[in-house]
Amino acid sequence: MNHKKGTDIIKRYKKNTKNGKEKKDNNIYLNIQILLSIIIIITCFMFRGRDNNTFEYVQNSYKEFFETDTYLESTFSYNSFMRKMYNELQARYGQLITAISQMNGKGSASFYPNNVSTKKYTLDKKGIVPTEGYISSPFGCRANPFDESKKDFHTGVDIANAKGTFIKAAFDGVVIKADSSNISGNYIKIESEDNIVTLYAHNQFLLVKEGDKVLAGQVIATMGDTGYATGPHVHFEFIINGVRYNPIYAIEI
């Protein structure tokens, strides 16, 4: 075999090997596209009838993801997408059980208090999420965590994580209460503009005192399980003029 012919064979072999690898990589990427497309289509179908917020988020994220050259170069974060979808699901679950409570238990003072409202609201500027973790109990009617045969109305959102996790102020404001009780454990109340009060309960340690001015994002406590709690979490409430609303609409998620 002459030298030129041998060189040509080697070049063709390398080219075919490279093309095969590229084809394999493309097939993997195509399979990822197909899988995510199915998941996104199902998700859109489930939520589009409720409102357009979730649908538009999924649609825009999908577009951003697949218009980039490669998966790794995309600025779309899988983790942020999953976190957004998880919070959306929790919010929808809260709306569902609230609707059930209105149908089945309207007027029943045993678990539908007078100082709550299930109405959706908007703020000029949303607050920050008060801690890292997952929503272990949404706003609305639920089975009592200590006696599942009974119903009660959960007036806030529980965000669970490890004991000692930092708790942050959702809004700028002034600490109007930093105290302890048998039910709420170590808790903090912060008053902000427009008669807005936020409550952070079941804390391990309180890092602010009454009268302190705090900024949104400032660490005010550490997560605990003090008071009436089944495990470490923060019970977060959003209150306007004494009425408790679903905190999900108040924070930027």
Side-chain angles (χ1 to χ4, degrees):
M1 179 185 296
N2 63 49
H3 178 72
K4 185 176 184 305
K5 187 173 181 181
T7 302
D8 290 342
I9 292 173
I10 292 172
K11 286 181 178 179
R12 285 198 301 272
Y13 174 78
K14 288 183 177 180
K15 183 178 180 181
N16 291 336
T17 303
K18 182 179 179 182
N19 290 340
K21 185 178 184 301
E22 289 176 351
K23 185 176 181 181
K24 183 178 179 181
D25 291 343
N26 289 337
N27 287 338
I28 293 172
Y29 185 64
L30 179 61
N31 290 334
I32 293 173
Q33 283 183 306
I34 293 171
L35 177 60
L36 288 178
S37 299
I38 293 171
I39 294 172
I40 291 169
I41 289 169
I42 293 173
T43 304
C44 293
F45 178 79
M46 289 173 63
F47 292 127
R48 192 174 185 182
R50 185 70 184 180
D51 59 47
N52 288 328
N53 292 338
T54 304
F55 176 77
E56 290 176 359
Y57 177 84
V58 174
Q59 186 182 46
N60 292 337
S61 298
Y62 176 88
K63 183 178 179 182
E64 181 181 1
F65 182 84
F66 288 115
E67 281 189 348
T68 55
D69 291 336
T70 67
Y71 169 77
L72 294 177
E73 292 177 359
S74 175
T75 57
F76 171 68
S77 167
Y78 172 78
N79 289 331
S80 66
F81 172 77
M82 293 304 296
R83 186 164 57 249
K84 172 72 175 177
M85 292 307 300
Y86 179 80
N87 288 331
E88 288 282 359
L89 286 170
Q90 288 287 355
R92 296 301 176 266
Y93 175 69
Q95 291 171 354
L96 175 62
I97 60 176
T98 297
I100 292 173
S101 72
Q102 288 177 313
M103 290 186 292
N104 296 336
K106 194 170 183 179
S108 173
S110 63
F111 66 94
Y112 196 88
N114 294 323
N115 63 340
V116 300
S117 174
T118 57
K119 292 182 179 178
K120 189 173 181 178
Y121 57 89
T122 57
L123 299 175
D124 292 336
K125 183 180 179 181
K126 290 189 175 184
I128 68 165
V129 179
T131 189
E132 294 288 333
Y134 65 94
I135 297 177
S136 58
S137 185
F139 176 89
C141 176
R142 67 176 183 178
N144 187 298
F146 295 93
D147 185 353
E148 294 187 356
S149 66
K150 298 179 180 179
K151 291 182 180 180
D152 64 20
F153 194 97
H154 193 220
T155 54
V157 167
D158 288 349
I159 305 175
N161 206 331
K163 185 179 289 188
T165 302
F166 286 150
I167 309 298
K168 302 175 183 178
F171 300 91
D172 298 345
V174 177
V175 178
I176 59 173
K177 199 75 173 175
D179 206 345
S180 182
S181 74
N182 291 335
I183 295 177
S184 298
N186 299 326
Y187 70 94
I188 295 170
K189 277 188 175 182
I190 297 175
E191 186 172 21
S192 304
E193 295 179 348
D194 301 323
N195 296 317
I196 292 175
V197 173
T198 46
L199 169 70
Y200 313 79
H202 307 301
N203 301 297
Q204 179 188 35
F205 301 117
L206 305 184
L207 304 179
V208 293
K209 62 184 184 303
E210 291 180 21
D212 285 352
K213 293 182 179 180
V214 296
L215 299 175
Q218 179 178 334
V219 176
I220 57 173
T222 56
M223 185 177 294
D225 54 1
T226 57
Y228 206 53
T230 57
H233 69 279
V234 61
H235 172 81
F236 175 59
E237 290 188 5
F238 180 80
I239 309 163
I240 305 177
N241 294 321
V243 179
R244 288 156 173 78
Y245 293 84
N246 191 339
I248 288 295
Y249 304 128
I251 53 181
E252 193 67 57
I253 59 174

